[in-house]
């Protein structure tokens, strides 16, 4: 079952022609749950609560000078839970049996029972209750001065995410069901995860000028300043490492040291042009062009606070029920050693904010009074993009080290055609076609990448995971004419319309990986296979879905001395897709 509720309230008040205020409050909650198909006595669910409050004011300081102020406060809570019930006569074990009442951990607790390698989970409380809170302040000024419209403003944003993990997780493992009544548990693993709050801050300011040069030409220019410091911990002390010349020589930084140096020189200029080449009615031809630099936040992945607060212990042949005194953890030890290896996230040397260079040019041609056709070229070049690298045990004092670097890049180019017909003689339509090609060496900020010490990120270059080469969409509405058919005929046959939406696209890419995995020094990674010469990648077979399938014999597992096979990343494609919807409608 699922359920959701929402409520909102808005207040607007205009004091006079020069000053007005408004406020908007919204609240929405939803919860859903379902039985686990593998164990119908287990009910899994999740919930989400969202609360937002926005207040603002508009002021006319003088006839040509206006100001807009917006302040937003919001909070979103996401939770996940699992409970065991009595479905089908099941009898869940009592909580006191798995978690002694005198246990020092009284928050969210998770127990998993393994009997002869078959897991049965028992959850007390929630798996997680995470929060995201935001405060944002935006101020925009507009000043009209002759043929110029000047805009400038600021944007302050503060994010306060709170991560609440389980206070106690316990795995009970019995080798056989007969051992359940032995008064002891064969294997016991228990752990605790940290709960922490972070602070993300972003600031931007901009100035923009729209200049109406003449009736045909309009120029828009501006520049934006972005400042995005690294996140900071608001609870536990966070640790990172420094001196990344050689990963085997890492040293732990002082507590709460910044993950990277804040840059104050991130300037993003923008330029736009609109020029009316031809002005004859019904034959207007307009040229639009623009270019700009856009910075990403660059804060993704930083701020994780796990070491040295996450603890686990593994014991054999413990009495059951387990005494509460067993579930004790030593105080956090912030000194890395082979017995206490540090697991940290660090930034690569000279880390900077990711950026994208965007270009576009578009021609719009009127085809009579109600129709228009446009042709556009759009490009986006991502540089210094985020790419994760994971290293396992690079030195005796360090365990898992995640390096966030700027080794990611992307190139997107597209040609876009569009035909639009406004409602005329009962018909309106929109038809568009896009040819595009997106290339990168990582399609996600958070997906772990292969360390450059093992594989140069440049050889990961390939079609993006979401690359679709051809995309066609169309939509049309036709209002059926209404001939005079008498009172009865008009009542039945008037006010009808036909509507249709159609889309078609080619296939996104498929990435083929070799099996098994290969273990390189301190790292384990999947590899792409080698191509077997002379064999087709696909085999036609009408008995298979889609009429074809990938030929596994066209690939071979590379030798252990070869880190990656010669089949490129995202090298294959299978099936495209299309869909048409049609409806008959009457007002």
């Amino acid at each position: 079952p699922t359920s959701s509720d929402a409520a909102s309230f808005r207040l607007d008040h205009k004091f006079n022609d020069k000053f007005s205020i408004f406020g908007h409050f919204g609240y929405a909650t939803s919860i859903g749950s379902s039985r686990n198909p593998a164990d119908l006595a287990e009910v899994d669910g999740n919930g989400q609560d969202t609360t937002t409050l926005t207040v603002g004011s508009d002021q006319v300081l003088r006839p040509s000078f206006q100001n807009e102020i917006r302040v937003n406060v919001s909070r979103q809570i996401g939770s996940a839970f699992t409970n065991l019930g009595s479905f089908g006569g099941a009898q869940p074990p009592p909580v006191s049996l798995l978690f002694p009442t005198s246990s020092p951990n009284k928050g969210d607790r998770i127990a998993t029972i393994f009997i002869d390698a078959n897991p049965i989970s028992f959850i007390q409380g929630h798996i997680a209750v995470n929060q995201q809170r935001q405060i944002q302040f935006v101020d925009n000024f507009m000043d009209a001065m002759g043929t110029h419209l000047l805009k400038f403003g600021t944007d302050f944003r503060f994010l306060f995410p709170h991560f609440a993990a389980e206070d106690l997780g316990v795995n009970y493992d019995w080798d056989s069901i007969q051992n359940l009544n032995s008064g002891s548990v064969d294997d016991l693993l228990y752990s605790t995860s940290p709960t922490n709050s972070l602070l993300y801050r972003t600031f931007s300011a901009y100035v923009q000028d729209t200049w109406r040069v003449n009736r045909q030409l309009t120029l828009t220019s501006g520049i934006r300043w972005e400042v995005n410091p690294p996140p900071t911990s608001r609870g536990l002390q966070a640790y990172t490492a420094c001196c990344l010349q050689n990963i085997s020589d890492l040293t732990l930084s002082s507590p709460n040291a910044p993950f990277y140096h804040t840059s104050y020189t991130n300037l993003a200029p923008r330029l736009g042009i609109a020029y009316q080449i031809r002005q004859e009615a019904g034959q207007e031809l307009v040229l639009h062009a623009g270019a700009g630099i856009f910075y990403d936040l660059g804060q993704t992945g930083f701020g994780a606070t796990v070491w040295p607060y996450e603890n686990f212990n593994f014991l054999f042949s413990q009495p059951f029920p387990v005494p509460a005194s067993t579930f004790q953890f030593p105080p956090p030890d912030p000194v890395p050693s082979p017995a206490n290896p540090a697991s940290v996230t660090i930034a690569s040397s000279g880390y900077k904010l990711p950026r994208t260079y965007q270009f576009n040019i578009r021609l719009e041609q009127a085809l009579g009074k109600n129709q228009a056709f446009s042709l556009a070229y759009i490009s986006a070049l991502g540089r210094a993009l985020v790419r994760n690298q994971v290293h396992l045990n690079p030195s005796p004092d360090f365990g898992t080290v995640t390096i966030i670097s700027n080794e990611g890049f992307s190139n997107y180019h597209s040609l876009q055609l569009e035909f639009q017909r406004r409602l005329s003689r009962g018909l309106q339509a929109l038809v568009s076609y896009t040819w595009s090609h997106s290339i990168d060496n990582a399609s996600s900020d958070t997906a772990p990448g292969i360390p450059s010490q093992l594989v140069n990120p440049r050889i990961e270059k390939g079609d993006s995971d979401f690359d679709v080469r051809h995309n066609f969409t169309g939509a049309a509405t036709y209002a059926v004419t209404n001939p005079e058919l008498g009172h009865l005929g008009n009542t039945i046959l008037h006010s009808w319309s036909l509507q249709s939406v159609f889309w078609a696209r080619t296939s996104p890419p498929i990435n083929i990986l070799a099996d098994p995995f290969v273990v390189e020094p301190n790292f384990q990674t999947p590899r792409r296979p080698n191509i077997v010469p002379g064999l087709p990648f696909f085999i036609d077979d009408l008995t298979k879905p889609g009429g074809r399938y990938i030929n596994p014999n066209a690939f071979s597992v590379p030798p252990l001395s070869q880190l990656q096979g010669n089949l490129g990343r995202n090298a294959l494609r299978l099936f495209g897709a299309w869909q048409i919807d049609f409806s008959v409608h009457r007002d």
Side-chain angles (χ1 to χ4, degrees), residues 239-253 259 301-302 304 306-307 336 340-348 387-405 447-454 522-524:
Y239 292 88
T240 183
C242 68
C243 311
L244 188 60
Q245 279 73 35
N246 188 334
I247 191 169
S248 62
D249 297 330
L250 283 179
T251 58
L252 197 69
S253 299
F259 289 92
F302 295 104
V306 176
W307 183 88
N340 182 36
S343 295
V344 295
T345 298
I346 63 178
S348 61
R387 181 180 170 87
N388 287 356
Q389 302 172 2
V390 178
H391 294 259
L392 301 179
N393 307 316
S395 70
D397 291 344
F398 285 85
T400 302
V401 176
T402 301
I403 302 175
I404 300 180
S405 71
I450 302 171
S452 56
Q453 286 86 348
L454 297 179
N522 301 329
F523 198 79
Q524 178 175 286

Side-chain angles (χ1 to χ4, degrees), residues 214-266:
N214 52 46
R215 293 181 59 186
Q216 292 179 269
L217 178 63
T218 300
L219 298 177
T220 301
S221 59
I223 190 168
R224 192 175 184 92
W225 181 38
E226 304 278 3
V227 179
N228 299 323
T232 56
S233 176
R234 300 176 62 242
L236 303 175
Q237 290 184 327
Y239 292 88
T240 183
C242 68
C243 311
L244 188 60
Q245 279 73 35
N246 188 334
I247 191 169
S248 62
D249 297 330
L250 283 179
T251 58
L252 197 69
S253 299
S254 57
N256 294 328
F259 289 92
Y260 56 87
H261 295 292
T262 302
S263 173
Y264 296 94
T265 58
N266 301 316

Side-chain angles (χ1 to χ4, degrees), residues 10 31 73-74 219-220 233 300 314 397 450 549:
R10 181 179 176 92
I31 187 171
V73 179
S74 61
L219 298 177
T220 301
S233 176
T300 301
F314 187 80
D397 291 344
I450 302 171
Y549 65 94

Side-chain angles (χ1 to χ4, degrees), residues 399-458:
T400 302
V401 176
T402 301
I403 302 175
I404 300 180
S405 71
N406 293 118
E407 293 186 304
F409 64 87
S410 66
N411 298 319
Y412 173 83
H413 302 277
S414 70
L415 178 68
Q416 302 182 8
L417 310 177
E418 181 180 281
F419 170 80
Q420 184 174 7
R421 176 187 172 92
R422 292 184 288 272
L423 184 62
S424 176
R425 298 182 180 179
L427 176 65
Q428 64 178 355
L430 177 65
V431 180
S432 64
Y433 165 78
T434 299
W435 174 93
S436 64
H437 192 189
S438 182
I439 301 172
D440 60 36
N441 67 344
S443 296
S444 171
D445 283 355
T446 57
I450 302 171
S452 56
Q453 286 86 348
L454 297 179
V455 176
N456 189 325
R458 290 285 172 182

Side-chain angles (χ1 to χ4, degrees), residues 4 127 230 242 379 392 445 480:
S4 61
I127 299 173
C242 68
S379 176
L392 301 179
D445 283 355
V480 180

